[in-house]
Amino acid sequence: MTVQTSRRGFLKGIAALSGVALVVGFDAKGALAAAPVGTLDLNPFVKIDGEGIVTVVLKHFEMGQGTSTGLATLVAEELDADWATLRTEFAPADGEKYQIVGFGVQMTGGSMSIWNSYMQYRQAGAAARAMLVEAAAAQWGVEPEAVTVEKGLLKAGDKSAGFGAFVAAAAALIPPESPPLKDPAAFSLIGKPDLKRRDNTNKTDGSAVFALDVTLPGMVHAVILRPDRPGSGLVSFDASGAMGMVGFLDAKALPNKAGVAVFARSTWTAIQARNAVTAQWDTSAAEARSTDRMVEEHLALVRGEPSYQVREGGDLSATTAALSGAVQVVEAEFTFPHLAHAPMEPLNCVIEPTETGGVRFHDGCQAPGITQGAVAHVLGLTPDKVEVNTVFAGGSFGRRANPTSDYHVEAAQAFALFGGKTPIKLVWTREDDIRGGYYRPMAAHRVKIGLDGDGKVVGWDHRLAVQSIMKGTPFEAFAVKDGVDGTSAEGVSDSHYAIPALSVGLSDWTSPLKVLWWRSVGHSHTGFAMEVAMDMAAKAAGQDPVAFRLALLEGDDPDRKRLAGVLRLVAEKSGWEKPAAPGRFRGVAVHKSFNTYVAQVAEISRSESGVIKIEKMTCAVDCGVVVNPDIVKAQMEGGIGFGLGAAMRNRITFTDGAVDQWNFPDYVPLRMGDIGDIDVHILSSVEAPTGVGEPGLPPSLPAVANAIAAATGDWPTHLPWSENGLSFGA
Amino acid sequence: MAIKFVLNGQPVSVDLPGDTPLLWVLREGIGLTGTKFGCGVAACGACTIHLAGEPVRSCQTLLDDVAGQSVTTIEGVSGQAAQAVQAAWRELDVVQCGYCQSGQIMSAVGLLSTTPRPTDAEIDDKMGGNVCRCATYPRIRAAIHRAADMMEG
Ligand code: FES
Ligand code: FES
């Protein structure tokens, strides 16, 4: 062995010395583990350097839902770290280490980030704290119990020092198996209403980096020419029109015939060049139907015999018998359009070659666990050779998590086509986003509710038709049971109302169209059908909509109690008992999704010419223990606005299989004047925390529809409302 | 021929075709990425900058249009209204994904510069072209009122 005396080796030694740090995470078996930096085979959740700076490693990405603040809060709380100097960084792609607890994949979705991290991140913080305390106690010659920690400072008697003084000694200790966690009564950060978001400075001065902002030396820009009819295959193309454009580099067919990759020196040139490329498509495998026909087919399915009965214990013959004995039967049909997610930052990512023969993505990456496998497959690599540098994502609403990792695969194909040595930035324009598929599926529901002479529900026949999101994807294995995609009827099939003789029938509509989860997934339509139908039943029964619901939520069942809890709270906060002000009309809805309970009251006005304005939404939410109350409120506000914007005006339609819409002028997003105040109230709870990114959405649509019915006498059951006889104004 | 203008107070000279949208000049020509691409067709406001002090959509402003003029982006916006808007945005934690917020802030600064105490209706009108898919609108409205208070106080 030769002694390394070169200057380079010397510098390396210094770097390692000054890089002393305490790293705490979990080993492969899920046990708490700690190590000095660089030596470990664990998933670091907390890193503390020699200066005492705490870095929280985020296994979930940040699309605006506040997870970076939430996970940092969990660690800082138990570690008693200094919130002001704490840092965060996104975890690298490593599905073993950073998977969702109990889910096996590294991704963000299903409103899972906080609840699946709640114990993990607190334990990591608590373990780091215990080790620092033990190291300090040993050095100071006191009992660990005598050491206190506050805002990154350890103290015992007249001695005090920052974390940095003890990281080396602490790193040599064995982490406690189960460090004591704080009693919630002692929380100083968790539940604090005025804790600020960690990303509110860089997102207000233009310095926050999104994937679209990443530039690498020598980077080439690519856009893809896609067919008008999703699912068509490329036959041939002609790029001669782009030849000679300054900055145009090349155009090549994607190997799967899904499109033509157009390469240029800048995004703008790539877009211009693409406009000059023409292509022939084989449409034989593409969708050929138009929207009207699709709607008819969905309605035919719900008017016929369902393929599956999806309510546990549901029995259609019992329901039919109950309905035939009913004094009155309420009937309604509902239709829901295809919807685009349209996150504010159009899809894009940067791919570059790595020194080890792999690739690295720079992306607001929602599902590194899926991206690694999908890209490795395309490029003939092993998944560990696909690295991901996660940056901020400009929204997602479900779109950035795709079972096929579609835009990463496109980028990988473009990268390979261009020679595999040049960094490529792949950009979707807004037109690509609106026209490029992966829509919230169209859906139809048909409901028949039987009431007895006292206005009590005696039977409920609920049928729905929708294209399965999960079938044909890698998620089919766990999400589809006995042919039933659990996400199709969620929210109806598992309704907690005490409805006698409830049966839920599901039929799949099938199409080559690509569909995807869209904020709140199945609940985005089931919540509406369920809660509007409930309102119709209440009206038919001549009862107050809140009282009618509460009667079906009586008893000790924990779900019913929590649904009733938010319903009572929203009734109180909205002043439901008092009549609405003149010219104002109210509607109510309550729905559980992603284990979170949300009730809302919408208050609308209607002008003499019939123009509707959503004046105020009052919202009550029970999501268990609240980590960041203001972020919970923000997510309720966001879910409500996202849902109502779509309900008012959005639909993706098809003419002979081709998408009709282009961009925001004809897929009109919610705007400032469309919505008034949103008043959110959080029910205090000691239950385990649950998600908030999606559950604000489902009750917002029916609450407004029920308010519209209060104004007009008619429920707007076909979405979007602006295409079905209603107009909305500022 | 290079086109000259003043960017965030500094003279710059850009050698790109005159019909290149300013948005792409800023982002990919000059490397100031705080100004965002959202739609490219004047329908979202993510690309809002100030041209001679007025909010405009940089996706619809050509490089030729700004020759000899003064352009301000989120990176360079300053002054009393800008300070108040940014402080109010932080105080009320307006941002979610943040992608629209450069444009929101540039529009809000423009609004407050001409209308120091806007009504809700004026806010709806002047901010109506700025889309936020995260639907932070109620907080944007509140933050504009808060910024107006700060400017007075
Ligand atoms: S990118 Fe300019 S208005 Fe949307
Ligand atoms: S904060 Fe996400 S689009 Fe406005």
Side-chain angles (χ1 to χ4, degrees):
Chain A
M1 193 185 144
T2 55
V3 178
Q4 177 62 272
T5 55
S6 74
R7 178 155 170 79
R8 196 157 163 252
F10 179 69
L11 281 173
K12 229 162 141 187
I14 294 287
L17 262 185
S18 66
V20 67
L22 169 63
V23 175
V24 179
F26 297 83
D27 67 15
K29 296 192 192 75
L32 272 164
V37 75
T39 58
L40 46 139
D41 189 23
L42 56 77
N43 49 351
F45 281 12
V46 188
K47 303 197 269 192
I48 309 174
D49 71 11
E51 306 291 309
I53 299 292
V54 176
T55 302
V56 179
V57 180
L58 309 170
K59 67 174 187 171
H60 294 293
F61 89 145
E62 177 68 65
M63 57 180 150
Q65 83 280 40
T67 308
S68 53
T69 304
L71 299 189
T73 305
L74 299 176
V75 168
E77 178 68 67
E78 295 291 347
L79 177 55
D80 287 311
D82 178 19
W83 183 252
T85 58
L86 183 123
R87 293 175 191 165
T88 59
E89 66 185 35
F90 293 109
D94 190 329
E96 288 281 304
K97 293 178 175 173
Y98 294 109
Q99 57 181 252
I100 297 174
V101 175
F103 191 65
V105 181
Q106 183 185 6
M107 68 180 288
T108 302
S111 297
M112 284 189 206
S113 300
I114 288 296
W115 69 251
N116 101 90
S117 309
Y118 185 63
M119 294 309 284
Q120 219 179 18
Y121 274 72
R122 286 175 66 203
Q123 281 168 353
R129 183 189 193 278
M131 294 162 80
L132 289 165
V133 164
E134 196 181 332
Q139 193 164 320
W140 289 337
V142 300
E143 291 299 314
E145 291 71 38
V147 179
T148 61
V149 190
E150 205 185 328
K151 289 193 177 164
L153 216 58
L154 296 138
K155 281 188 198 159
D158 57 354
K159 297 192 169 64
S160 84
F163 288 171
F166 300 106
V167 292
L173 299 172
I174 294 169
E177 233 169 75
S178 52
L181 298 178
K182 282 186 186 171
D183 182 328
F187 286 158
S188 61
L189 294 174
I190 293 176
K192 205 172 147 196
D194 56 352
L195 197 69
K196 292 286 163 238
R197 287 182 69 107
R198 302 200 58 84
D199 51 358
N200 78 2
T201 300
N202 58 2
K203 287 180 175 176
T204 48
D205 65 10
S207 65
V209 173
F210 299 84
L212 201 69
D213 305 332
V214 173
T215 300
L216 299 176
M219 186 174 85
V220 160
H221 301 253
V223 296
I224 290 174
L225 176 68
R226 296 183 186 79
D228 282 339
R229 288 173 55 186
S232 305
L234 182 70
V235 175
S236 64
F237 72 96
D238 177 4
S240 56
M243 299 295 173
M245 275 190 188
V246 177
F248 168 72
L249 295 171
D250 207 351
K252 291 207 156 130
L254 293 181
N256 59 358
K257 306 280 179 235
V260 182
V262 179
F263 301 91
R265 290 264 168 240
S266 72
T267 301
W268 176 243
T269 310
I271 293 170
Q272 300 290 98
R274 180 175 68 175
N275 291 341
V277 176
T278 57
Q280 269 67 54
W281 304 93
D282 171 5
T283 57
S284 57
E287 177 57 71
R289 289 167 283 189
S290 297
T291 290
D292 288 351
R293 165 107 183 269
M294 295 176 189
V295 174
E296 278 167 26
E297 290 182 6
H298 280 78
L299 285 172
L301 286 172
V302 295
R303 288 169 187 162
E305 282 294 302
S307 306
Y308 310 102
Q309 279 298 323
V310 295
R311 169 78 175 177
E312 215 182 292
D315 175 357
L316 182 55
S317 54
T319 304
T320 309
L323 288 177
S324 64
V327 170
Q328 57 172 328
V329 175
V330 174
E331 289 191 51
E333 286 180 344
F334 303 85
T335 56
F336 303 84
H338 288 99
L339 292 171
H341 302 71
M344 201 69 216
E345 178 193 16
L347 299 181
N348 72 94
C349 61
V350 175
I351 179 172
E352 64 167 330
T354 59
E355 284 158 10
T356 58
V359 292
R360 180 181 303 114
F361 281 94
H362 302 267
D363 177 37
C365 192
Q366 185 160 5
I370 301 174
T371 298
Q372 280 189 305
V375 169
H377 181 72
V378 167
L379 295 179
L381 299 167
T382 52
D384 60 304
K385 286 274 190 270
V386 180
E387 298 175 20
V388 179
N389 171 38
T390 296
V391 294
F392 285 122
S396 171
F397 317 115
R399 181 62 184 88
R400 287 185 150 81
N402 186 303
T404 64
S405 212
D406 66 319
Y407 68 96
H408 306 94
V409 164
E410 286 182 348
Q413 289 172 331
F415 172 78
L417 285 172
F418 203 74
K421 294 195 170 57
T422 310
I424 303 281
K425 178 185 276 184
L426 175 82
V427 175
W428 284 49
T429 60
R430 181 60 60 199
E431 290 83 359
D432 295 331
D433 171 59
I434 300 292
R435 303 175 58 74
Y438 288 103
Y439 302 118
R440 195 287 300 269
M442 175 180 275
H445 290 234
R446 177 175 168 78
V447 184
K448 286 190 206 171
I449 306 166
L451 300 171
D452 69 13
D454 298 328
K456 282 210 168 62
V457 176
V458 294
W460 185 304
D461 178 351
H462 201 122
R463 302 180 190 195
L464 69 151
V466 63
Q467 182 177 352
S468 166
I469 293 169
M470 298 293 189
K471 287 184 182 178
T473 76
F475 288 103
E476 179 160 354
F478 79 85
V480 179
K481 295 208 173 57
D482 301 325
V484 177
D485 177 343
T487 69
S488 293
E490 59 181 0
V492 179
S493 60
D494 53 355
S495 172
H496 295 288
Y497 282 120
I499 297 171
L502 167 62
S503 68
V504 181
L506 169 69
S507 302
D508 289 342
W509 184 73
T510 54
S511 164
L513 293 176
K514 295 192 158 60
V515 292
L516 189 63
W517 39 63
W518 180 96
R519 200 171 193 171
S520 81
V521 199
H523 299 280
S524 68
H525 52 92
T526 60
F528 183 79
M530 197 72 208
E531 283 298 293
V532 170
M534 190 60 79
D535 230 58
M536 294 171 166
K539 176 92 183 286
Q543 292 180 27
D544 172 74
V546 171
F548 188 75
R549 285 171 172 82
L550 285 174
L552 294 171
L553 295 170
E554 279 173 2
D556 282 336
D557 173 84
D559 286 300
R560 282 181 202 150
K561 279 170 94 170
R562 295 179 76 178
L563 285 163
V566 289
L567 190 51
R568 284 198 187 92
L569 182 61
V570 85
E572 178 203 322
K573 297 294 182 185
S574 65
W576 184 264
E577 291 300 315
K578 289 174 269 158
R584 298 287 178 101
F585 304 90
R586 289 185 309 218
V588 67
V590 59
H591 193 76
K592 172 196 172 195
S593 61
F594 306 92
N595 296 315
T596 290
Y597 308 78
V598 183
Q600 291 170 14
V601 168
E603 185 167 314
I604 65 159
S605 62
R606 190 159 155 265
S607 75
E608 274 175 21
S609 58
V611 175
I612 288 164
K613 163 116 205 250
I614 300 166
E615 302 284 354
K616 182 173 181 184
M617 298 293 293
T618 308
C619 173
V621 53
D622 174 356
C623 57
V625 169
V626 176
V627 176
N628 303 113
D630 195 52
I631 291 178
V632 170
K633 290 184 178 177
Q635 285 307 297
M636 291 300 119
E637 293 159 11
I640 289 168
F642 189 80
L644 291 179
M648 281 189 251
R649 301 193 182 95
N650 292 160
R651 60 172 184 172
I652 293 293
T653 58
F654 300 87
T655 300
D656 300 332
V659 182
D660 296 320
Q661 288 72 25
W662 284 90
N663 196 319
F664 285 143
D666 53 10
Y667 192 82
V668 178
L670 185 84
R671 291 183 186 275
M672 180 64 92
D674 286 328
I675 193 155
D677 287 345
I678 302 178
D679 184 20
V680 182
H681 300 270
I682 302 172
L683 202 86
S684 123
S685 168
V686 293
E687 301 292 333
T690 53
V692 295
E694 297 166 275
L697 189 150
S700 64
L701 286 68
V704 170
N706 294 338
I708 291 171
T712 65
D714 225 357
W715 284 268
T717 55
H718 299 287
L719 297 175
W721 297 320
S722 62
E723 301 292 334
N724 290 283
L726 294 177
S727 59
F728 295 87
Chain B
M1 206 192 69
I3 293 164
K4 294 184 168 58
F5 61 100
V6 175
L7 176 60
N8 296 331
Q10 302 291 321
V12 291
S13 168
V14 176
D15 201 1
L16 282 171
D19 62 355
T20 309
L22 182 62
L23 168 67
W24 297 109
V25 173
L26 293 168
R27 291 186 52 82
E28 295 185 352
I30 295 172
L32 283 185
T33 55
T35 304
K36 302 302 186 196
F37 165 61
C39 70
V41 297
C44 80
C47 65
T48 305
I49 52 120
H50 292 177
L51 177 59
E54 296 263 328
V56 298
R57 310 290 183 232
S58 65
C59 69
Q60 301 303 306
T61 306
L62 303 185
L63 179 55
D64 271 341
D65 302 339
V66 303
Q69 303 230 50
S70 172
V71 170
T72 307
T73 68
I74 183 74
E75 289 92 345
V77 70
S78 62
Q80 199 204 7
Q83 271 176 13
V85 164
Q86 282 170 320
W89 247 245
R90 289 165 194 166
E91 185 181 306
L92 300 187
D93 262 357
V94 170
V95 305
Q96 290 191 27
C97 84
Y99 193 81
C100 73
Q101 299 293 348
S102 297
Q104 304 282 2
I105 286 169
M106 295 308 282
S107 290
V109 171
L111 167 62
L112 286 170
S113 301
T114 54
T115 315
R117 186 146 291 284
T119 62
D120 279 352
E122 285 167 328
I123 293 173
D124 288 353
D125 180 38
K126 286 291 170 22
M127 300 297 293
N130 284 84
V131 172
C132 176
R133 290 294 287 156
C134 300
T136 63
Y137 301 115
R139 288 187 190 224
I140 291 174
R141 191 182 293 117
I144 290 174
H145 288 309
R146 179 77 186 102
D149 289 346
M150 288 176 177
M151 285 167 69
E152 262 180 22

